[in-house]
């Protein structure tokens, strides 16, 4: 039995270690909201965001998303387009029309509608980013990096 159980000063990386050394959310802090009516897509988005260090709120339609802005400060929204009650484009337009918000939230479309025309429709409604379903952690990280400047980035200059 040659096993040695002394505590090493530095633990080696393992396959079960988080995919990001420091929590992504620490570099790109944001109060997040997932707006998605499909239960599977909700779980995928919420799980990815949690792995990145976020604690997202959840809305199941555009009306709940709009209403969430009266209860919470929200910096970053992942918005489905086709939902009951109110679609994501209408919700985005209504959020953009809110004058009482302390700052303009970043809204990223998460949709199966992936033509260039769909992208342009999203941007015309006031969205800042676009992710094709099924969303991946890499896509989410890339769009957040593109749309939400890291506060630490300006400090490193």
């Amino acid at each position: 039995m040659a096993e040695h159980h002394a505590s090493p000063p530095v633990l080696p990386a393992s396959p079960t270690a988080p995919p990001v050394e420091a929590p992504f959310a620490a570099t790109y802090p944001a109060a997040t909201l997932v707006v998605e009516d499909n239960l599977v897509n909700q779980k995928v988005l919420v799980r990815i965001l949690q792995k990145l260090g976020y604690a997202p709120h959840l809305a199941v339609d555009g009306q709940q998303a709009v209403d969430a802005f009266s209860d919470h400060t929200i910096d970053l929204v992942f918005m489905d387009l086709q939902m009951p009650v109110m679609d994501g484009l209408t919700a985005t337009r209504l959020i953009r029309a809110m004058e009482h918000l302390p700052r303009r939230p970043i809204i990223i479309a998460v949709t199966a509608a992936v033509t260039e025309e769909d992208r342009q429709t999203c941007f015309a409604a006031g969205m800042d980013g676009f992710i094709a379903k099924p969303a991946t952690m890499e896509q989410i990280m890339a769009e957040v990096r593109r749309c939400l400047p890291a506060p630490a980035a300006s400090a490193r200059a």
Side-chain angles (χ1 to χ4, degrees), residues 5 20 45 49 55 57 61-63 71 74 96 99 107-108 125 131 136 138 142 148 151:
H5 292 287
V20 184
L45 286 169
L49 291 169
H57 295 280
D61 60 53
Q63 185 60 57
D71 298 331
I74 299 169
R96 292 294 180 233
E99 296 179 3
I107 302 176
I108 299 174
I131 295 174
T136 65
E138 293 74 23
L148 190 68

Side-chain angles (χ1 to χ4, degrees), residues 33-74:
L33 174 66
V34 170
V35 187
E36 173 63 64
D37 63 317
N38 179 281
L39 185 59
V40 172
N41 292 334
Q42 285 174 8
K43 288 181 178 182
V44 168
L45 286 169
V46 167
R47 183 78 176 124
I48 289 171
L49 291 169
Q50 288 172 336
K51 283 182 177 181
L52 293 174
Y54 296 104
H57 295 280
L58 180 64
V60 298
D61 60 53
Q63 185 60 57
Q64 283 187 7
V66 171
D67 294 345
F69 280 87
S70 57
D71 298 331
H72 308 285
T73 297
I74 299 169

Side-chain angles (χ1 to χ4, degrees), residues 51-134:
K51 283 182 177 181
L52 293 174
Y54 296 104
H57 295 280
L58 180 64
V60 298
D61 60 53
Q63 185 60 57
Q64 283 187 7
V66 171
D67 294 345
F69 280 87
S70 57
D71 298 331
H72 308 285
T73 297
I74 299 169
D75 305 307
L76 182 59
V77 180
F78 294 90
M79 181 80 73
D80 184 22
L81 296 188
Q82 297 180 359
M83 296 175 288
V85 182
M86 181 186 295
D87 65 75
L89 295 171
T90 302
T92 297
R93 289 182 192 105
L94 289 172
I95 292 166
R96 292 294 180 233
M98 293 179 175
E99 296 179 3
H100 71 280
L101 298 179
R103 61 189 158 272
R104 183 181 189 273
I106 300 297
I107 302 176
I108 299 174
V110 183
T111 180
V114 296
T115 67
E116 185 57 31
E117 183 179 342
D118 295 322
R119 290 176 66 88
Q120 293 309 315
T121 299
C122 290
F123 292 127
M127 294 183 175
D128 303 288
F130 190 92
I131 295 174
K133 288 182 184 177

Side-chain angles (χ1 to χ4, degrees), residues 146-157:
R146 191 183 69 73
C147 295
L148 190 68
S154 58
R156 280 186 254 139

